[in-house]
């Protein structure tokens, strides 16, 4: 009986909708804080160029005023010769709350992360970034189907 309950709970989480919505997201501003020792400046620029190209191919536009901040952040810590990496992808934008008084604020309106233990930190980080961008693009297409 326990196995059935666990399987049921797991399967419902697979098909649940995200708490985030990507409706009408179009204009982005790319921000990539990558502060890890195993990625140099040239590699950072290549990662940024590749991410931007994939997002543009998916229909996103860069360089417009008041664009939503698209952040791709990479952090790591080395623990006994193993790199532990946290890759985060998020959207941040100015919002107006629905409180008693409308309050202007900045909020993360999309967030996903990948936490991994890496033997090959650079390649594993690239794989994680590509995975998170693919998930983001898929969620965007799902939310914006006509």
């Amino acid at each position: 009986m326990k196995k059935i309950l666990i399987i049921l709970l797991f399967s419902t989480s697979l098909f649940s909708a995200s708490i985030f919505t990507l409706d009408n997201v179009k204009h982005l501003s790319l921000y990539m804080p990558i502060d890890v020792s195993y990625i140099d400046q040239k590699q950072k620029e290549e990662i940024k160029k590749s991410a931007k190209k994939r997002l543009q191919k998916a229909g996103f536009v860069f360089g417009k005023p008041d664009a939503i901040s698209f952040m791709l952040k990479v952090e790591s810590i080395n623990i006994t010769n193993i790199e532990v990496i946290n890759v985060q992808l998020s959207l941040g934008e100015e919002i107006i709350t629905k409180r008693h008084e409308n309050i202007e604020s900045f909020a993360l309106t999309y967030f996903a992360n990948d936490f991994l233990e890496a033997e090959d930190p650079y390649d594993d980080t690239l794989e994680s970034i590509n995975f998170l961008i693919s998930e983001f693009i898929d969620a965007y297409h799902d939310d914006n189907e006509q």
Side-chain angles (χ1 to χ4, degrees):
M1 186 64 170
K2 285 183 182 180
K3 287 182 183 179
I4 293 173
L5 181 60
I6 290 171
I7 291 171
L8 182 61
L9 289 173
F10 178 72
S11 65
T12 57
S13 68
L14 287 176
F15 300 106
S16 63
S18 171
I19 62 170
F20 302 109
T21 178
L22 296 173
D23 290 335
N24 301 318
V25 172
K26 189 71 171 169
H27 303 268
L28 298 177
S29 173
L30 188 58
Y31 175 62
M32 292 183 61
I34 299 177
D35 190 26
V36 293
S37 61
Y38 58 87
I39 296 179
D40 63 29
Q41 190 60 38
K42 182 179 177 188
Q43 291 168 322
K44 287 178 191 179
E45 290 302 318
E46 290 172 5
I47 292 168
K48 186 174 185 175
K49 184 178 175 182
S50 174
K52 190 172 183 178
K53 184 177 179 181
R54 284 191 66 198
L55 292 165
Q56 286 174 321
K57 187 176 178 182
F60 295 99
V61 177
F62 292 87
K64 298 285 184 175
D66 299 325
I68 297 170
S69 296
F70 180 96
M71 183 180 75
L72 191 56
K73 182 177 182 179
V74 180
E75 304 171 301
S76 76
I77 186 168
N78 190 295
I79 302 173
T80 59
N81 297 325
I82 295 175
E83 206 71 32
V84 179
I85 303 166
N86 185 30
V87 180
Q88 299 174 5
L89 187 154
S90 61
L91 290 184
E93 58 188 310
E94 293 179 11
I95 60 146
I96 297 177
T97 66
K98 291 192 172 200
R99 299 179 192 158
H100 176 67
E101 295 179 21
N102 293 340
I103 300 170
E104 291 184 27
S105 185
F106 185 83
L108 292 181
T109 54
Y110 179 88
F111 181 83
N113 76 313
D114 194 13
F115 190 74
L116 56 136
E117 183 179 306
E119 292 182 19
D120 185 352
Y122 180 73
D123 287 341
D124 292 342
T125 298
L126 289 181
E127 185 177 329
S128 177
I129 289 170
N130 286 325
F131 167 74
L132 289 173
I133 291 174
S134 293
E135 291 290 311
F136 173 77
I137 291 170
D138 289 345
Y140 170 75
H141 288 306
D142 288 346
D143 286 351
N144 289 282
E145 288 181 336
Q146 302 291 331

